[in-house]
Amino acid sequence: MSVISKSTIQNCAEVGSSVLLDINDGDKMTFARLHSTSTLKVGNIKCNLEALVGQPYGAVFELQSERNSAKLVRLPSDSSGTKEKHQQNEADQNSEEVKGRDNRALVDDNKAQNLSSDDIDRMKREGVSGREIIEALVANSASFETKTAFSQEKYMKKKQKKYAPRVLMRRPSARSICEAYFVKDPRKIGFCRMDTLALMMSLANVGPKSDVLVLESLGGLITAAAAERVGGHGSICSAYYTTKRPPIDMVRLLNLDDATAVSVVRAPLEKLVAARRSAFNPKEKPVPAVLEGGKSAQVQNGRAVPKQEGQIENLAPVRNGREEAKVSVPHQDSSDSVTADAKSIGGEAVPMEMSVLHNMDVDHDDKSNKAAVEAREGDGCVPLDKELNAAAEGEEKSVKGPRPGNEATSSDIQRWASQGFSSLLVAAPELEPWTVTQNLLPLLSSSSPFVIYSPYQQPLADCMYQLQKNNMAVAVQLTEPWCREYQVLPLRSHPHMQMSATGGFTLSGIRITNPV
């Protein structure tokens, strides 16, 4: 696979670029693709994103309301005055006047503020800026001067978020995408935390000159992280086992250059397995057939024989860590069909393929999920699915050049069949890990690392036992990452009081070839 052009990194947002908008220091996160009609809604205020075009990533904008409209105005890089504020806070804390202050005499009876809500609404209708409203609130507060410097800063920050919200334009990356999804809808990414994602890339040794095989159902998060690490100097094959290719829309949020975009391809799993087997047995040309009882088989020399080692076995979906009915994926060379057994849900027979997709998608009939979606829409945050669809539509209109996720060519498949992949990444919680491992490990070259992710521990523990029992891998380890964020401020550095319970589990190892 040739590299089209030298990898470049955009320093400024352009028309057609994807951006991650961080509103009020992480309170809300939303994706957008910049074009003439892009808009952002914060609360009840809606503004155009045209001001973001041509600005560098990391720039901070303030939403300034006018009489009948609102606009984003970029703040100078030193407008926040972080360093000066910290120095002033330290000076205030060391001064004799402030040392004697505390908040013991403050009583929250809503009588300290002289401005009423009607006065504030009138100022908004008159077109008064958010900064002027904050200054008026401070001037009319009877308790502001009696607060400590830390309390004053906290008060100002709270009012700034309400009356003059700020928007940080971030560059979409695998970390920022994972972070945004983990905060808003972690089910879409299988509850995979950003530190777990980084650990997977490290354990799988993903980097330039790598040929990475990915099997996932997390919307393209793992594929996007691998593409970011490879940087166009290698290849990423996103395999799939269903009749319809699962989406990898998250890859398109990365603003990939041409070389990196063409390095991300898709291929059906059955073709990869068939090519790998043919590379070691060139005289054998199996033809799909069906044995009595509906079992998959192959026709060789005019006779139907059972499936052999290296062919795709049953992929069993699991839910809540328990194995359910199995999906049978027969070996085929020319079609992508999947023969699925029937599964009973609520007394009705449902095709197994539909059941797998049901596990992969969010249950939209869940009342709590509907309420959460409505709440996010009311706050001006568009659900991530709608954001990705809007971004994809904007990409089709404005972005020119190759798109990631094209079908792999025959030469690519033959090269992987003869050489083998250098890394394997699996993140499909709906599939049984041991069955997936049996099918995919032969596609790796010897001494290649692999990583399997799951939000459940027990399926990975069972897979780990089978790997050790059958001498299929060495350095096998089951890991649960642990992450806790810290607040780092002068005289106020401490761990956050709340943290996520778990970021999932990873099973890693190095594939070895069994001795003959």
Side-chain angles (χ1 to χ4, degrees):
M1 183 177 298
S2 61
V3 177
I4 290 181
S5 62
K6 184 179 180 180
S7 300
T8 57
I9 299 178
Q10 295 181 0
N11 295 322
C12 297
E14 303 174 354
V15 176
S17 299
S18 297
V19 295
L20 174 59
L21 302 179
D22 189 338
I23 304 172
N24 285 332
D25 195 20
D27 288 352
K28 300 174 184 177
M29 291 186 181
T30 181
F31 294 99
R33 189 172 293 277
L34 301 182
H35 50 83
S36 57
T37 59
S38 299
T39 57
L40 172 67
K41 188 176 181 182
V42 181
N44 296 325
I45 304 175
K46 191 174 184 179
C47 64
N48 192 279
L49 297 179
E50 189 175 359
L52 276 60
V53 178
Q55 301 295 335
Y57 289 105
V60 180
F61 298 83
E62 186 174 272
L63 184 61
Q64 296 183 0
S65 303
E66 299 178 353
R67 289 180 179 272
N68 298 322
S69 62
K71 61 179 180 179
L72 288 172
V73 179
R74 183 185 173 186
L75 300 177
S77 57
D78 58 345
S79 61
S80 58
T82 305
K83 184 176 181 179
E84 290 76 5
K85 286 183 179 179
H86 290 170
Q87 293 177 352
Q88 182 65 32
N89 288 337
E90 293 179 359
D92 292 343
Q93 289 295 321
N94 295 328
S95 64
E96 296 296 334
E97 180 182 356
V98 178
K99 282 184 178 180
R101 293 183 187 178
D102 54 47
N103 298 330
R104 76 179 83 179
L106 296 180
V107 180
D108 189 11
D109 53 3
N110 294 328
K111 295 181 180 180
Q113 183 56 248
N114 296 327
L115 284 180
S116 63
S117 58
D118 295 335
D119 296 333
I120 297 176
D121 292 339
R122 176 180 52 81
M123 296 174 68
K124 289 182 178 180
R125 289 194 298 269
E126 294 175 355
V128 179
S129 65
R131 292 186 181 182
E132 293 176 350
I133 294 177
I134 296 174
E135 292 175 358
L137 290 172
V138 172
N140 289 274
S141 177
S143 59
F144 184 80
E145 295 298 333
T146 61
K147 295 181 179 180
T148 63
F150 291 155
S151 297
Q152 291 179 357
E153 183 182 355
K154 186 176 180 180
Y155 178 86
M156 294 288 291
K157 187 176 181 180
K158 180 180 178 181
K159 298 304 179 184
Q160 175 263 318
K161 289 183 177 181
K162 184 175 182 180
Y163 298 105
R166 293 183 176 179
V167 178
L168 171 64
M169 183 175 64
R170 298 175 57 182
R171 184 198 310 274
S173 62
R175 170 174 175 162
S176 61
I177 294 173
C178 182
E179 183 181 1
Y181 269 81
F182 194 81
V183 172
K184 294 182 67 174
D185 197 351
R187 288 178 294 179
K188 291 292 184 181
I189 57 173
F191 299 91
C192 181
R193 205 168 48 205
M194 57 183 179
D195 59 309
T196 307
L197 181 63
L199 180 62
M200 293 177 63
M201 297 298 112
S202 177
L203 293 176
N205 195 28
V206 178
K209 306 300 181 182
S210 298
D211 293 324
V212 186
L213 175 61
V214 180
L215 179 65
E216 64 163 322
S217 59
L218 307 185
L221 177 63
I222 309 300
T223 305
E228 189 178 56
R229 292 276 293 240
V230 173
H233 302 282
S235 62
I236 300 96
C237 178
S238 179
Y240 57 93
Y241 64 93
T242 54
T243 55
K244 184 178 179 181
R245 300 194 309 178
I248 54 172
D249 294 331
M250 297 184 193
V251 180
R252 301 175 186 173
L253 295 175
L254 291 180
N255 301 323
L256 299 177
D257 57 272
D258 294 349
T260 307
V262 299
S263 67
V264 181
V265 295
R266 313 290 300 277
L269 189 57
E270 56 192 353
K271 287 187 178 180
L272 297 175
V273 174
R276 183 68 167 173
R277 295 183 66 243
S278 299
F280 291 96
N281 301 305
K283 296 182 179 181
E284 182 180 356
K285 295 182 179 180
V287 180
V290 178
L291 287 175
E292 295 181 0
K295 295 184 179 179
S296 300
Q298 297 173 352
V299 174
Q300 295 180 5
N301 300 325
R303 296 184 303 168
V305 297
K307 293 184 294 185
Q308 300 179 1
E309 183 181 358
Q311 185 178 351
I312 303 178
E313 302 294 339
N314 292 334
L315 298 180
V318 294
R319 179 179 291 179
N320 298 331
R322 294 177 300 176
E323 181 177 348
E324 295 184 354
K326 297 182 178 181
V327 179
S328 178
V329 185
H331 168 75
Q332 299 180 17
D333 290 334
S334 59
S335 66
D336 297 343
S337 62
V338 178
T339 58
D341 296 334
K343 175 187 172 186
S344 177
I345 298 179
E348 298 180 0
V350 181
M352 193 60 247
E353 181 184 343
M354 295 176 59
S355 174
V356 174
L357 298 179
H358 175 78
N359 292 345
M360 293 167 59
D361 296 335
V362 174
D363 187 2
H364 295 285
D365 295 332
D366 188 5
K367 295 182 179 179
S368 61
N369 186 50
K370 282 187 176 181
V373 171
E374 292 175 358
R376 290 197 298 268
E377 291 179 347
D379 292 339
C381 280
V382 182
L384 289 175
D385 285 344
K386 295 182 179 180
E387 294 172 3
L388 290 176
N389 292 337
E393 292 177 0
E395 182 185 32
E396 293 177 357
K397 295 180 180 179
S398 57
V399 177
K400 297 181 180 180
R403 295 178 58 184
N406 294 326
E407 201 71 15
T409 62
S410 300
S411 60
D412 291 333
I413 295 178
Q414 292 300 324
R415 178 171 58 87
W416 293 326
S418 59
Q419 299 178 0
F421 290 94
S422 61
S423 301
L424 171 63
L425 292 166
V426 178
E430 76 282 357
L431 299 179
E432 203 277 319
W434 168 235
T435 305
V436 174
T437 304
Q438 283 181 299
N439 293 320
L440 297 188
L441 275 189
L443 301 179
L444 291 176
S445 59
S446 298
S447 302
S448 296
F450 63 90
V451 180
I452 306 173
Y453 168 80
S454 176
Y456 315 114
Q457 181 182 13
Q458 189 58 42
L460 295 182
D462 297 340
C463 181
M464 180 179 180
Y465 170 75
Q466 294 293 339
L467 288 172
Q468 294 174 335
K469 177 181 177 181
N470 294 278
N471 296 324
M472 298 175 62
V474 295
V476 183
Q477 58 180 355
L478 180 58
T479 310
E480 180 185 12
W482 193 87
C483 177
R484 187 170 188 178
E485 295 185 6
Y486 275 71
Q487 171 183 292
V488 181
L489 291 173
L491 304 178
R492 289 172 290 172
S493 295
H494 60 77
H496 285 186
M497 298 298 102
Q498 296 180 348
M499 58 176 291
S500 60
T502 179
F505 302 86
T506 60
L507 175 63
S508 61
I510 299 176
R511 187 233 175 178
I512 59 174
T513 304
N514 291 331
V516 180

